[in-house]
Amino acid sequence: MNKRILILILFCIVFSVNSICLAYPNEKNGFRDFYWGESLQEVQANDEVYDLKYSGYDEETNSVFYVGKLTNPYISGQEMDNIFFMFWNNKLCWIGIYFSNEKYINVLDSMKINFGYPEFKNNEYYWYGQQTDIVLCSLGGYYACIIINNPYLWNEAKRDGAIRGW
């Protein structure tokens, strides 16, 4: 009897670990050919982006933003506008992709197909992963956006910003 209980416990552990590792289907380590932890220089050298310019500094995360255009601006047939890159300690940790709000439903449907059904809260859709978190939100009015970040680097950036000034 003890052997059966042990096997059952091991069986449950194996399957619970497997479900934890697969946070959502098709999880990426970044976006297209942009990978978490890449330097600004590596992103600038990538042929996927052009017209990359400094956009600003974020004090809350002690990070810098750059904005550019994608050479292939389509995601699931929907044209995107600008792409923003956030670097903390010269490491890519956050990507924001902006597009017309009228494309929101089509983008949401495509993301559900690619990444599974998201968590919905505060009028935003969330996909949580081990390497990449994704948020889809409508900014009201004309724009909507996809926010993609690496949870570890993003938390480190927030922590860095929070300790500044203490």
Side-chain angles (χ1 to χ4, degrees):
M1 178 138 169
N2 287 339
K3 208 176 202 181
R4 285 185 192 172
I5 293 173
L6 180 61
I7 291 172
L8 182 61
I9 290 171
L10 288 173
F11 182 78
C12 290
I13 289 172
V14 167
F15 280 98
S16 67
V17 168
N18 188 29
S19 67
I20 290 170
C21 292
L22 299 174
Y24 59 83
N26 301 321
E27 181 180 1
K28 308 288 186 211
N29 182 25
F31 171 72
R32 292 189 179 168
D33 287 333
F34 305 105
Y35 302 103
W36 304 129
E38 282 188 322
S39 69
L40 171 60
Q41 295 75 19
E42 289 171 308
V43 170
Q44 286 172 323
N46 191 320
D47 291 337
E48 287 265 338
V49 67
Y50 68 95
D51 202 22
L52 194 62
K53 298 176 183 166
Y54 176 78
S55 176
Y57 170 74
D58 181 51
E59 195 172 301
E60 289 184 27
T61 57
N62 190 32
S63 302
V64 293
F65 284 96
Y66 282 77
V67 62
K69 301 276 186 190
L70 292 170
T71 54
N72 174 8
Y74 294 93
I75 295 177
S76 296
Q78 305 300 311
E79 188 172 7
M80 301 293 120
D81 292 330
N82 293 323
I83 183 166
F84 285 81
F85 298 94
M86 182 172 142
F87 296 90
W88 169 75
N89 281 354
N90 200 29
K91 295 177 187 168
L92 179 62
C93 66
W94 181 98
I95 296 172
I97 305 164
Y98 292 80
F99 57 96
S100 165
N101 214 358
E102 55 193 41
K103 301 170 186 166
Y104 184 81
I105 295 301
N106 292 335
V107 171
L108 172 60
D109 290 343
S110 174
M111 291 177 75
K112 285 180 181 177
I113 290 167
N114 283 302
F115 306 123
Y117 198 79
E119 182 178 323
F120 181 74
K121 61 182 178 184
N122 302 323
N123 288 329
E124 298 176 340
Y125 293 91
Y126 292 83
W127 290 265
Y128 297 106
Q130 299 292 315
Q131 298 179 66
T132 303
D133 289 344
I134 305 172
V135 180
L136 174 65
C137 56
S138 173
L139 301 174
Y142 184 74
Y143 282 103
C145 68
I146 301 169
I147 303 297
I148 309 167
N149 70 61
N150 175 268
Y152 173 75
L153 290 173
W154 178 242
N155 286 331
E156 288 297 308
K158 289 190 300 186
R159 186 175 297 119
D160 186 29
I163 64 171
R164 291 182 116 21
W166 277 92

